Amino acid sequence: MFVLFRLALRRLRSPADYRKLQSYIAEKSIAELKARGVVFSSASVLELGAGDGGYSLILNRESQCFIASDLQKSPWVETSKIPFVQFDVLKSFPFKNNTFDLIYCSSVIEHIPNPDHLLKECRRILKPEAKLYLSFPPFFSLALVGGHQFKPFHLFGEKIAIRLANFVGRANYENYASAFGKFGLYPLTVDQVKNLITAHNFEIIDIFTRMSPINTARFPGIIKDLMTWHACYLSRPSKES
């Protein structure tokens, strides 16, 4: 965990430092998925929300066929030469039905105003025996990850959080939904995301806490949200759908 904290403290110095943090987490994340039976060496993999590309570098190395995607095309795309498709996840995905063996979607769903559409499209483009990996920081986590730029004020409600974040950071936020431009910040709990996934004909294989020996994502009630810094869901298309 020392390495994680060190990289996290340096992440805002430059895009390269942020990629180092992402790549470190990606290596650990892929190891967790391999331990749960996910095979990357023969898989076609789509990453949603590639951002600065730290995850993409590792996913591309591990996968047989890999495509990164995001709303914006960042400079790293040209230098890395990793296959990249630019599209808006709020619209239809530019892929045919039954295309991918795995979709990797980390820290995206909490920024989506319509997660139902996201999951519907994921279900459409996944092969019948494919996997969906989705993870996010629970909004009310005491690790203060889920509140993003509003932490720790987000624990006191949106109105107070907006007011204090504007005062302290000399910002001009109106609400959570407009905090990231087109993609805002939407408070989600561990159970809410679980219910969203299962509502779209996915069977959850496992719910676990990223890089943690204690699976706080399985704790009862609100405790799971308070104690989990990053909740992970591994699921597959339901055979009953």
Side-chain angles (χ1 to χ4, degrees):
M1 293 300 288
F2 172 77
V3 176
L4 176 63
F5 290 136
R6 177 171 58 83
L7 292 172
L9 289 173
R10 296 178 179 179
R11 74 189 188 283
L12 298 180
R13 298 192 311 185
S14 69
D17 283 299
Y18 205 97
R19 276 193 292 276
K20 288 180 181 178
L21 171 64
Q22 289 182 324
S23 293
Y24 175 78
I25 294 175
E27 289 180 338
K28 300 297 183 182
S29 175
I30 288 172
E32 290 174 334
L33 291 175
K34 286 182 177 179
R36 289 166 172 81
V38 178
V39 178
F40 285 83
S41 59
S42 59
S44 56
V45 180
L46 171 68
E47 180 190 14
L48 297 177
D52 287 317
Y55 290 93
S56 308
L57 294 171
I58 309 303
L59 287 165
N60 183 61
R61 184 189 70 192
E62 295 287 333
S63 308
Q64 181 186 60
C65 177
F66 174 71
I67 296 176
S69 69
D70 210 321
L71 179 65
Q72 304 293 338
K73 190 174 185 179
S74 299
W76 69 267
V77 174
E78 303 296 340
T79 57
S80 68
K81 297 182 180 180
I82 290 176
F84 181 89
V85 177
Q86 184 175 350
F87 69 95
D88 185 348
V89 295
L90 299 182
K91 300 178 181 178
S92 295
F93 293 6
F95 304 106
K96 296 180 179 179
N97 296 355
N98 307 322
T99 299
F100 295 99
D101 297 302
L102 173 68
I103 292 177
Y104 190 99
C105 181
S106 180
S107 297
V108 173
I109 196 168
E110 73 272 22
H111 299 297
I112 302 297
N114 185 7
D116 289 299
H117 173 77
L118 173 77
L119 289 163
K120 181 180 178 181
E121 284 294 284
C122 286
R123 180 69 177 79
R124 179 182 66 80
I125 66 174
L126 280 173
K127 297 177 182 178
E129 301 298 325
K131 303 290 191 302
L132 169 65
Y133 170 78
L134 189 151
S135 67
F136 85 113
F139 185 79
F140 297 105
S141 172
L142 293 178
L144 302 180
V145 179
H148 289 266
Q149 67 266 44
F150 300 104
K151 59 183 181 288
F153 310 126
H154 70 298
L155 298 174
F156 303 106
E158 184 173 3
K159 288 184 178 180
I160 294 176
I162 294 295
R163 190 172 301 173
L164 291 176
N166 285 340
F167 176 76
V168 173
R170 297 182 180 181
N172 191 32
Y173 297 113
E174 295 182 3
N175 49 44
Y176 290 156
S178 60
F180 291 87
K182 183 175 184 177
F183 295 94
L185 178 61
Y186 300 91
L188 289 172
T189 68
V190 174
D191 284 341
Q192 283 176 331
V193 173
K194 174 186 175 182
N195 293 336
L196 281 167
I197 293 171
T198 56
H200 286 274
N201 297 320
F202 283 100
E203 173 190 353
I204 292 182
I205 300 170
D206 198 6
I207 301 174
F208 57 99
T209 304
R210 175 183 280 176
M211 298 169 59
S212 174
I214 302 173
N215 192 2
T216 57
R218 290 284 192 179
F219 281 12
I222 190 64
I223 299 176
K224 66 170 72 73
D225 291 284
L226 297 175
M227 301 299 294
T228 302
W229 79 282
H230 205 95
C232 305
Y233 306 78
L234 179 62
S235 61
R236 60 191 167 207
S238 174
K239 293 182 180 180
E240 297 178 358
S241 59

